[in-house]
Amino acid sequence: MDADEPLSDDEIRAPFEPLLGAPMAVAVSGGADSMALMHIAQRALDLVPPTVEGMRLPGRPRLIVLTVDHGLRTGSADDAAWVVSRAEASGLPCRVLAWTGDKPTQGIQAAARAARYQLMHDALVEEARPYHNLVRPLLTAHHYEDQAETFLMRLARGSGIDGLSAMQETALIETATMPNGAYGVQLTVHRPLLDFPKSRLIATLKAADLEWREDPSNAHDDFERVRVRKALVTLAELGVTSDSIARSAS
């Protein structure tokens, strides 16, 4: 398959068929990966019929969008508002979740990731209350370059076999209790795009004439993942490709 070819309906159906029979949420930042996920998930809605009778409740959409305003840079609120506009233009309800309070000066990406999952967990528990506490799982847009980066980051820390298996297609994310003290459930995360390269996600967006916004922090060498991403270019010249690393992780 050409690395720059959009995803076909058959490729979309396969990973989404086990997921979209019931209501799901999709995490969208506005970047190419998550905008592709939103578009692909919406296409999957047309391809995958709802199958779980207990979750086909009146008034509950099968797919909702969550976007987080981390408040870490100027323009983050505008980016979140843009995601809302794109989601609503596609007929999907979207909610903005704001990370408020003091922010760390070190380990920013890890702290932002934890805050993001916590905010989404709390929002999904809240959303589930009118629907017999049936909490939606969350779709994220990790692809196989992300898998390769995670493998290398864990390799640098001396991880064992479990750690080097990197990201799984389905994971339970530990979160804290909700602000009012009520206990929710662990956040179930699905990563349906792990087997696809970013180039094909971008090709899918371009084929649909859709836009995306890049977070400028994704180019900052202060962050470990950015440094690893750039190192992958050099490794590829030595024959150590993202594809081969992701297959080793699998």
Side-chain angles (χ1 to χ4, degrees), residues 16-28:
F16 282 89
E17 194 150 22
L19 305 178
L20 283 178
M24 302 286 292
V26 58
V28 179

Side-chain angles (χ1 to χ4, degrees), residues 70-147:
H70 293 91
L72 293 172
R73 58 177 175 78
T74 302
S76 63
D78 290 340
D79 286 346
W82 182 82
V83 170
V84 172
S85 70
R86 296 300 87 207
E88 292 180 346
S90 298
L92 298 175
C94 182
R95 180 174 173 184
V96 177
L97 310 174
W99 184 23
T100 58
D102 295 334
K103 308 292 168 58
T105 57
Q106 295 182 334
I108 295 174
Q109 284 199 321
R113 181 173 59 253
R116 183 163 60 248
Y117 281 132
Q118 184 68 53
L119 286 165
M120 291 184 177
H121 166 269
D122 294 351
L124 292 176
V125 170
E126 179 183 343
E127 190 268 348
R129 284 178 179 151
Y131 303 103
H132 313 299
N133 291 322
L134 295 169
V135 179
R136 297 170 184 265
L138 180 71
L139 302 175
T140 65
H142 297 101
H143 47 75
Y144 80 38
E145 282 95 345
D146 291 323
Q147 183 76 297

Side-chain angles (χ1 to χ4, degrees), residues 6 19 33 52 241:
L19 305 178
D33 308 343
V52 182
T241 64

Side-chain angles (χ1 to χ4, degrees), residues 229-245:
R229 186 173 302 146
K230 292 180 178 180
L232 278 168
V233 177
T234 302
L235 288 174
E237 294 171 356
L238 300 174
V240 184
T241 64
S242 294
D243 184 38
S244 63
I245 295 171

Side-chain angles (χ1 to χ4, degrees), residues 5-219:
E5 185 171 337
L7 269 61
S8 68
D9 280 353
D10 286 343
E11 289 175 306
I12 291 171
R13 183 192 298 273
F16 282 89
E17 194 150 22
L19 305 178
L20 283 178
M24 302 286 292
V26 58
V28 179
S29 67
D33 308 343
S34 63
M35 290 300 292
L37 174 63
M38 185 174 77
H39 169 67
I40 291 166
Q42 187 177 35
R43 175 58 186 154
L45 287 178
D46 297 329
L47 301 172
V48 180
T51 56
V52 182
E53 292 294 335
M55 297 188 75
R56 293 170 63 180
L57 299 173
R60 193 182 202 197
R62 287 175 63 197
L63 193 67
I64 63 173
V65 175
L66 300 178
T67 189
V68 175
D69 175 8
H70 293 91
L72 293 172
R73 58 177 175 78
T74 302
S76 63
D78 290 340
D79 286 346
W82 182 82
V83 170
V84 172
S85 70
R86 296 300 87 207
E88 292 180 346
S90 298
L92 298 175
C94 182
R95 180 174 173 184
V96 177
L97 310 174
W99 184 23
T100 58
D102 295 334
K103 308 292 168 58
T105 57
Q106 295 182 334
I108 295 174
Q109 284 199 321
R113 181 173 59 253
R116 183 163 60 248
Y117 281 132
Q118 184 68 53
L119 286 165
M120 291 184 177
H121 166 269
D122 294 351
L124 292 176
V125 170
E126 179 183 343
E127 190 268 348
R129 284 178 179 151
Y131 303 103
H132 313 299
N133 291 322
L134 295 169
V135 179
R136 297 170 184 265
L138 180 71
L139 302 175
T140 65
H142 297 101
H143 47 75
Y144 80 38
E145 282 95 345
D146 291 323
Q147 183 76 297
E149 292 163 13
T150 299
F151 179 95
L152 291 178
M153 290 164 65
R154 293 183 180 181
L155 182 66
R157 299 188 182 102
S159 293
I161 290 176
D162 285 347
L164 294 178
S165 65
M167 292 184 287
Q168 305 301 307
E169 289 184 3
T170 301
L172 292 176
I173 304 297
E174 295 287 347
T175 56
T177 58
M178 293 188 65
N180 61 6
Y183 284 88
V185 296
Q186 289 177 309
L187 179 62
T188 303
V189 174
H190 294 291
R191 304 178 177 109
L193 303 181
L194 271 184
D195 289 336
F196 300 109
K198 180 167 184 159
S199 59
R200 296 200 62 202
L201 304 184
I202 291 176
T204 303
L205 283 175
K206 289 180 176 178
D209 197 25
L210 295 174
E211 300 177 321
W212 65 90
R213 289 188 170 191
E214 293 297 349
D215 184 342
S217 67
N218 287 336

